[in-house]
Amino acid sequence: MTVTGAIWRDQLTSDQRAMLGREAGTITNPRPDVLVIGGGILGVAIAASVHGAGLGSVQLIEAGRLGAGATGGATGLLIPEPHQWSDPETFVDLERASLERWRYLDQVTPGGLGLVELDWIGLAPDPGGLAAHQPENVEWLDAAKIAALVPGLAWHMGGALIRHQARVNPLRALVGLADGLPAVGTGVAATAVTIRGERLVSVITSEGEISAGAVVFATGQPPVVDGLEIEIPTDRVKGHLIVTEPANVHLPCTVAPVATPLEDGRLLAGGTFDYGDESPLVREEVVDTIMGGLRAALPGVREVAVSHQWCCFRPRHPDRRPVIDRVPGLRNAWLTSGHFRTGILNAPATGLAITRWISADKPPPEARAWSAARFASRGARD
Ligand SMILES: Cc1cc2nc3c(=O)[nH]c(=O)nc-3n(C[C@H](O)[C@H](O)[C@H](O)COP(=O)(O)OP(=O)(O)OC[C@H]3O[C@@H](n4cnc5c(N)ncnc54)[C@H](O)[C@@H]3O)c2cc1C
């Protein structure tokens, strides 16, 4: 039977699952040094970073359960290098730094974060199909080499191989990071703020008021709360994913655009961009299209059923890059939003950048490219 919902929760232990609903309806610390709003991967990574840096007491609040937004539905790939073909160098640098930070956090977190090292192959009919000029860390493999590496592949095609990328179960990683946090209130929604001059003096939540020294909004898209005017253009892009039952097909690594191998021989496929589809429901026709593509590429999975199917929404700004910034007009509030298709990857570097900014009271170099001001001339949301 196919489960409609991400596989990630099913891979957790019962203790880890319970962590997703931590301290429900409870604000442990109503006067923290730092309040983080949003319990997706960005909010949890920021809170963990601030806590780890010793910037004082930290309270995190999340309207639903931890990872309930885009985070719980992501593919979980941590693959900076393929983005050399699609993203500016400053962005790829952020991604590279973040992957290194993931590796560090995986090492130092008790019990680890479940990071899995893996290589990436991008199939393309010829090297020019990916880029006229191949970056140094890319190995071009001809069709014979690809066939040897991916024996079940029906397509006779070359491809680019990039080594030393990674992936996580996003919920497993999030739970690992949240585990060290002293105060995490799920089921607590921020609804309004009080501002005096250039300071955000209190946050009104569904469970009472919080007065914090510094406030960080990590709400996926920019926060929508009474009393805060944030004019950053934003939308969201739905995507579908599927996981198969264990398959008798060996993929050595992520093979784009075909699939990523998971535990037990399962394959993860999809990651569609369903522009304009605002329905939270899984569409069977999209699932059929993903499975059709997978079966065409890997005939060995023809008889393999779908075990999990789900969809979620990527938060996006018009240039498809995140905002990492102080809230315009406020001295003690920050926000990060619009991480689109790389929020899992970029969470640790973003957490570090915001921690440094709060600590030094000036923007760290790695945050400068991601200011909200770049949208100023565009005016209101589009
Ligand atoms: C199909 C798909 C595949 C993806 N694959 C990858 C991938 O392989 N690698 C990668 O790096 N990224 C991937 N992404 C992107 C990634 O999922 C997102 O960029 C990332 O999860 C965004 O995290 P976030 O914490 O900003 O937002 P979210 O996870 O949406 O978290 C925001 C949280 O804030 C809470 N919140 C909002 N408002 C309030 C409020 N007022 N008070 C309290 N809480 C509030 C919400 O309930 C939510 O839980 C993928 C996304 C999709 C949809």
Side-chain angles (χ1 to χ4, degrees):
M1 209 187 74
T2 304
V3 174
T4 296
I7 191 169
W8 307 129
R9 195 174 173 282
D10 292 351
Q11 292 187 326
L12 302 182
T13 63
S14 54
D15 283 353
Q16 289 169 333
R17 275 200 287 274
M19 288 271 293
L20 299 174
R22 254 181 82 173
E23 298 156 55
T26 306
I27 299 168
T28 310
N29 183 355
R31 306 188 75 80
D33 293 302
V34 181
L35 169 66
V36 178
I37 300 173
I41 195 72
L42 266 301
V44 171
I46 292 164
S49 175
V50 166
H51 178 63
L55 296 194
S57 59
V58 182
Q59 169 76 54
L60 182 139
I61 60 169
E62 159 56 44
R65 291 167 70 81
L66 297 180
T71 297
T75 313
L77 292 176
L78 312 177
I79 52 166
E81 299 306 329
H83 296 152
Q84 294 174 91
W85 288 297
S86 57
D87 290 312
E89 195 63 21
T90 39
F91 193 62
V92 181
D93 284 347
L94 181 80
E95 296 180 318
R96 287 180 178 134
S98 211
L99 175 53
E100 281 318 302
R101 187 80 188 155
W102 267 118
R103 290 189 169 117
Y104 168 77
L105 292 169
D106 186 49
Q107 293 283 316
V108 299
T109 304
L113 298 175
L115 184 135
V116 178
E117 296 285 343
L118 90 170
D119 296 341
W120 178 92
I121 288 176
L123 299 175
D126 59 70
L130 283 170
H133 168 70
Q134 294 296 329
E136 269 174 25
N137 56 2
V138 176
E139 282 170 59
W140 180 257
L141 305 181
D142 62 21
K145 284 188 181 141
I146 291 285
L149 272 176
V150 192
L153 189 67
W155 303 337
H156 187 73
M157 205 181 269
L161 167 65
I162 303 181
R163 299 186 190 276
H164 308 306
Q165 307 297 282
R167 72 172 178 87
V168 286
N169 168 336
L171 289 185
R172 161 83 182 79
L174 174 140
V175 164
L177 288 174
D179 196 26
L181 292 174
V184 175
T186 60
V188 181
T191 56
V193 297
T194 310
I195 290 170
R196 283 205 200 100
E198 292 188 326
R199 289 194 71 77
L200 197 164
V201 292
S202 73
V203 175
I204 315 302
T205 80
S206 53
E207 304 299 325
E209 193 167 345
I210 304 178
S211 298
V215 177
V216 183
F217 295 92
T219 46
Q221 291 183 279
V224 180
V225 290
D226 289 346
L228 196 63
E229 296 293 327
I230 295 182
E231 295 291 334
I232 304 173
T234 179
D235 67 0
R236 53 186 204 161
V237 181
K238 182 173 171 180
H240 282 77
L241 287 162
I242 64 101
V243 167
T244 67
E245 295 287 1
N248 208 7
V249 172
H250 171 69
L251 285 190
C253 61
T254 287
V255 180
V258 180
T260 294
L262 298 186
E263 293 74 13
D264 312 327
R266 294 173 190 274
L267 297 175
L268 168 60
T272 53
F273 290 84
D274 312 319
Y275 297 103
D277 182 355
E278 284 294 318
S279 164
L281 301 179
V282 168
R283 292 193 190 275
E284 291 298 335
E285 66 271 24
V286 180
V287 170
D288 289 347
T289 305
I290 296 170
M291 273 314 281
L294 185 62
R295 288 178 177 133
L298 297 171
V301 302
R302 244 175 224 150
E303 305 303 320
V304 178
V306 175
S307 75
H308 292 74
Q309 56 183 31
W310 72 93
C311 62
C312 65
F313 290 90
R314 305 169 183 89
R316 181 176 74 157
H317 297 306
D319 61 2
R320 300 179 296 127
R321 318 271 177 250
V323 165
I324 306 170
D325 204 353
R326 222 195 279 256
V327 176
L330 295 177
R331 300 280 327 155
N332 69 329
W334 284 260
L335 88 157
T336 191
S337 57
H339 281 267
F340 193 41
R341 58 191 189 125
T342 51
I344 309 297
L345 171 57
N346 283 331
T350 304
L352 205 53
I354 289 185
T355 302
R356 287 185 176 143
W357 198 332
I358 295 173
S359 163
D361 200 27
K362 62 175 188 195
E366 66 271 24
R368 287 203 184 110
W370 320 117
S371 94
R374 70 186 193 268
F375 300 113
S377 60
R378 294 170 187 259
R381 286 161 191 251
D382 62 15

